Coordinates of all heavy atoms in Angstrom, one line a residue:
K21 N 0.7 -9.5 3.7 CA -0.3 -9.3 4.7 C 0.0 -8.2 5.7 O -0.8 -7.3 6.0 CB -0.7 -10.6 5.5 CG -1.4 -11.5 4.6 CD -1.8 -12.8 5.4 CE -2.5 -13.8 4.5 NZ -2.9 -15.0 5.3
A22 N 1.3 -8.2 6.2 CA 1.7 -7.2 7.1 C 1.8 -5.8 6.5 O 1.4 -4.8 7.1 CB 3.1 -7.5 7.7
L23 N 2.2 -5.7 5.2 CA 2.2 -4.5 4.5 C 0.8 -3.9 4.3 O 0.6 -2.7 4.5 CB 2.9 -4.7 3.1 CG 3.1 -3.4 2.3 CD1 3.9 -2.4 3.0 CD2 3.7 -3.8 0.9
I24 N -0.1 -4.8 3.9 CA -1.5 -4.3 3.7 C -2.1 -3.8 5.0 O -2.7 -2.8 5.1 CB -2.4 -5.5 3.1 CG1 -2.0 -5.6 1.6 CG2 -3.8 -5.2 3.3 CD1 -2.7 -6.8 1.0
R25 N -1.8 -4.6 6.1 CA -2.3 -4.1 7.5 C -1.7 -2.8 7.8 O -2.4 -1.9 8.4 CB -2.0 -5.2 8.5 CG -2.5 -4.9 9.8 CD -2.3 -6.1 10.8 NE -1.0 -6.6 10.9 CZ -0.6 -7.8 10.5 NH1 -1.5 -8.7 10.2 NH2 0.6 -8.2 10.6
S26 N -0.4 -2.6 7.6 CA 0.2 -1.3 7.9 C -0.4 -0.1 7.1 O -0.7 0.9 7.7 CB 1.7 -1.4 7.7 OG 2.3 -0.2 7.9
V27 N -0.5 -0.3 5.8 CA -1.1 0.7 5.0 C -2.5 1.0 5.3 O -3.0 2.1 5.4 CB -0.9 0.3 3.5 CG1 -1.7 1.3 2.6 CG2 0.5 0.3 3.1
A28 N -3.3 -0.1 5.6 CA -4.7 0.1 6.0 C -4.9 0.9 7.3 O -5.7 1.7 7.4 CB -5.4 -1.3 6.1
S29 N -4.0 0.6 8.3 CA -4.2 1.3 9.5 C -3.8 2.7 9.4 O -4.4 3.6 10.0 CB -3.4 0.6 10.6 OG -2.0 0.6 10.4
S30 N -2.8 3.0 8.6 CA -2.4 4.4 8.4 C -3.4 5.2 7.6 O -3.7 6.3 8.0 CB -1.0 4.5 7.6 OG 0.0 3.9 8.4
T31 N -4.0 4.5 6.6 CA -5.0 5.2 5.8 C -6.3 5.4 6.7 O -7.0 6.4 6.5 CB -5.3 4.3 4.6 OG1 -4.1 4.1 3.9 CG2 -6.4 5.0 3.7
A32 N -6.6 4.4 7.5 CA -7.8 4.6 8.4 C -7.7 5.8 9.3 O -8.7 6.5 9.5 CB -8.0 3.3 9.2
I33 N -6.5 6.0 9.8 CA -6.3 7.2 10.7 C -6.5 8.5 9.9 O -7.2 9.4 10.4 CB -4.9 7.2 11.3 CG1 -4.7 6.0 12.3 CG2 -4.5 8.5 11.9 CD1 -3.3 5.7 12.7
E34 N -6.0 8.5 8.7 CA -6.2 9.7 7.9 C -7.6 9.9 7.3 O -8.0 11.1 7.2 CB -5.2 9.7 6.7 CG -3.7 9.6 7.1 CD -3.3 11.0 7.7 OE1 -3.8 12.0 7.3 OE2 -2.4 10.9 8.5
T35 N -8.3 8.9 7.0 CA -9.6 9.0 6.3 C -10.8 8.8 7.2 O -11.9 9.2 6.9 CB -9.7 8.0 5.2 OG1 -9.7 6.7 5.7 CG2 -8.6 8.2 4.1
G36 N -10.6 8.1 8.4 CA -11.7 7.8 9.2 C -12.5 6.6 8.9 O -13.4 6.2 9.6
A37 N -12.0 5.9 7.8 CA -12.7 4.6 7.5 C -12.1 3.5 8.4 O -11.2 3.7 9.1 CB -12.4 4.3 6.0
T38 N -12.8 2.4 8.3 CA -12.3 1.3 9.2 C -11.1 0.6 8.6 O -11.0 0.5 7.3 CB -13.4 0.2 9.4 OG1 -13.8 -0.4 8.2 CG2 -14.7 0.8 10.1
V39 N -10.3 0.0 9.4 CA -9.1 -0.7 8.9 C -9.5 -1.9 8.1 O -8.9 -2.2 7.0 CB -8.2 -1.2 10.1 CG1 -7.0 -2.0 9.6 CG2 -7.7 0.1 10.9
A40 N -10.5 -2.6 8.5 CA -11.0 -3.8 7.8 C -11.5 -3.5 6.4 O -11.2 -4.2 5.5 CB -12.1 -4.5 8.6
S41 N -12.2 -2.4 6.3 CA -12.7 -2.0 4.9 C -11.6 -1.7 4.0 O -11.6 -2.0 2.8 CB -13.8 -0.9 5.0 OG -13.2 0.3 5.4
I42 N -10.6 -0.9 4.5 CA -9.5 -0.5 3.7 C -8.6 -1.8 3.3 O -8.2 -1.9 2.2 CB -8.6 0.5 4.4 CG1 -9.5 1.8 4.5 CG2 -7.4 0.8 3.6 CD1 -8.9 2.9 5.4
A43 N -8.4 -2.6 4.3 CA -7.6 -3.8 4.1 C -8.3 -4.7 3.0 O -7.6 -5.3 2.1 CB -7.4 -4.6 5.4
M45 N -10.3 -3.7 0.6 CA -10.1 -3.1 -0.7 C -8.7 -3.3 -1.2 O -8.5 -3.6 -2.4 CB -10.4 -1.6 -0.5 CG -10.4 -0.9 -1.8 SD -11.0 0.8 -1.7 CE -10.2 1.5 -0.3
L46 N -7.7 -3.2 -0.4 CA -6.3 -3.4 -0.8 C -6.1 -4.8 -1.2 O -5.3 -5.0 -2.2 CB -5.3 -3.0 0.3 CG -5.2 -1.5 0.6 CD1 -4.4 -1.2 1.9 CD2 -4.6 -0.7 -0.6

Side-chain angles (χ1 to χ4, degrees):
K21 285 181 181 181
L23 181 62
I24 287 174
R25 185 173 47 243
S26 175
V27 170
S29 64
S30 296
T31 304
I33 292 169
E34 296 292 328
T35 64
T38 64
V39 175
S41 67
I42 296 169
M45 186 172 43
L46 289 172

